[in-house]
Amino acid sequence: MLLNLGNIKIHIEKDFSTACELGANIIKEKLSKKPNSVIGFATGGTPIPMYKHLIEMCNHQEINFSEMVTFNLDEYFPISKENDQSYYYFMRENLFNHINVNFDNLHIPNGLASDVEKECADYENLIKTLGPIDLQILGMGLNGHIGFNEPDNKFTQGTNYVALQESTITANARFFNSIDDVPKKALTMGIKTIMMSTEILLLVNGEKKADILEQALFGEISPHVPASALQLHQNVTILADESAVANILKRF
Ligand code: GLP
């Protein structure tokens, strides 16, 4: 089912894997029209089924990643690339090691940069130089964060160094041995960086995200719900399962 809100289109599928297949096809189409498309990638549990579809398509030679340029949204700080909870490791494990990418074209903020402010400025400049990002993939945190842009009194601008909120540390602790191992800070593209992308693909799954998704799309546009900024973007596609849009469907 497709809900068309003008600048935001919501594809709703019973099964989230079907929604993710649609997402993989959107990426495939982008790369077939423009092989050197700049794609912004996201981590978290939500996009994993879409990455599985992309790997499968690549195995069947239905998609070509050889010229794709990528920028990941964020990285914990401090964290080494070898740490299996780093987003660097996550992306290789869940996607990049299994597709025909050129590793020179992949960009993820450096979780061990000696000068974090410089790392953020350099990352932002590189996005400006190689961008714009043609398609930015997003997940969303339970508090409405996108990338690692936490609820705050103002929207972030460019790539920045942030402190994670307790709720995010708790939510992400499921991937670590203990909550004490979760880094307390991160480097993330800012809301403005994300908003500069030509097109955005937001993946949302499960009833636990239903309230925050409704707030993000129908509530006040506020930095207290960072994803609400997407209401101001011209081209957003949301891929969701039925439970994630349960509240939204009641509005129609
Ligand atoms: C992390 C990432 C976000 C992601 C969020 C949601 O905090 N920095 O980019 O969207 O988790 O994760 P999940 O998809 O596992 O719910």
Side-chain angles (χ1 to χ4, degrees):
M1 174 187 177
L2 174 68
L3 255 184
N4 192 339
L5 309 176
N7 59 329
I8 300 182
K9 294 179 180 52
I10 313 180
H11 288 272
I12 305 158
E13 299 291 340
K14 204 173 181 56
D15 172 21
F16 189 57
S17 177
T18 312
C20 285
E21 198 171 348
L22 201 62
N25 278 311
I26 291 173
I27 294 171
K28 175 181 158 181
E29 205 174 303
K30 279 262 166 295
L31 289 169
S32 69
K33 278 198 191 128
K34 185 185 166 199
N36 63 347
S37 286
V38 182
I39 310 285
F41 279 94
T43 53
T46 312
I48 290 178
M50 184 171 80
Y51 297 162
K52 289 206 167 96
H53 284 297
L54 290 175
I55 293 167
E56 210 174 299
M57 284 173 171
C58 189
N59 287 339
H60 291 100
Q61 293 170 0
E62 293 163 8
I63 187 167
N64 181 8
F65 294 100
S66 62
E67 291 180 52
M68 175 177 74
V69 176
T70 76
F71 283 95
N72 259 80
L73 276 170
D74 49 10
E75 179 60 284
Y76 287 113
F77 195 93
I79 204 159
S80 74
K81 290 175 178 172
E82 293 75 34
N83 186 317
D84 62 5
Q85 291 311 324
S86 73
Y87 286 168
Y88 180 95
Y89 194 99
F90 174 103
M91 287 309 300
R92 274 166 172 68
E93 207 47 25
N94 289 295
L95 184 65
F96 296 152
N97 281 347
H98 312 290
I99 59 176
N100 66 325
V101 282
N102 176 349
F103 280 81
D104 292 339
N105 290 341
L106 312 180
H107 308 96
I108 299 184
N110 178 1
L112 285 183
S114 53
D115 181 341
V116 274
E117 299 304 332
K118 184 175 181 304
E119 174 66 15
C120 291
D122 289 351
Y123 199 71
E124 190 67 22
N125 283 333
L126 199 59
I127 295 174
K128 286 206 177 91
T129 308
L130 302 177
I133 292 172
D134 295 294
L135 180 73
Q136 176 64 55
I137 300 156
L138 293 179
M140 185 177 59
L142 289 170
N143 60 6
H145 74 238
I146 47 178
F148 265 135
N149 295 283
E150 298 280 33
D152 203 348
N153 291 329
K154 55 179 174 29
F155 283 117
T156 52
Q157 299 288 307
T159 301
N160 63 114
Y161 179 47
V162 293
L164 302 182
Q165 290 196 347
E166 220 39 61
S167 62
T168 300
I169 293 171
T170 309
N172 290 0
R174 67 191 195 274
F175 299 114
F176 290 81
N177 290 333
S178 101
I179 193 162
D180 298 332
D181 293 341
V182 186
K184 308 288 177 287
K185 298 205 165 161
L187 306 175
T188 180
M189 284 184 197
I191 294 293
K192 188 173 173 195
T193 325
I194 294 169
M195 292 294 283
M196 302 280 279
S197 311
T198 309
E199 194 176 335
I200 288 176
L201 191 60
L202 171 66
L203 277 64
V204 196
N205 179 26
E207 70 180 314
K208 64 181 188 303
K209 301 265 174 86
D211 288 344
I212 195 67
L213 182 63
E214 182 187 27
Q215 240 180 295
L217 300 185
F218 294 91
E220 191 195 340
I221 299 171
S222 154
H224 294 288
V225 182
S228 66
L230 300 178
Q231 292 182 39
L232 299 172
H233 195 279
Q234 283 316 299
N235 191 355
V236 180
T237 300
I238 298 178
L239 304 176
D241 71 342
E242 284 175 350
S243 53
V245 291
N247 297 2
I248 292 174
L249 285 177
K250 286 185 196 140
R251 291 174 165 265
F252 292 90

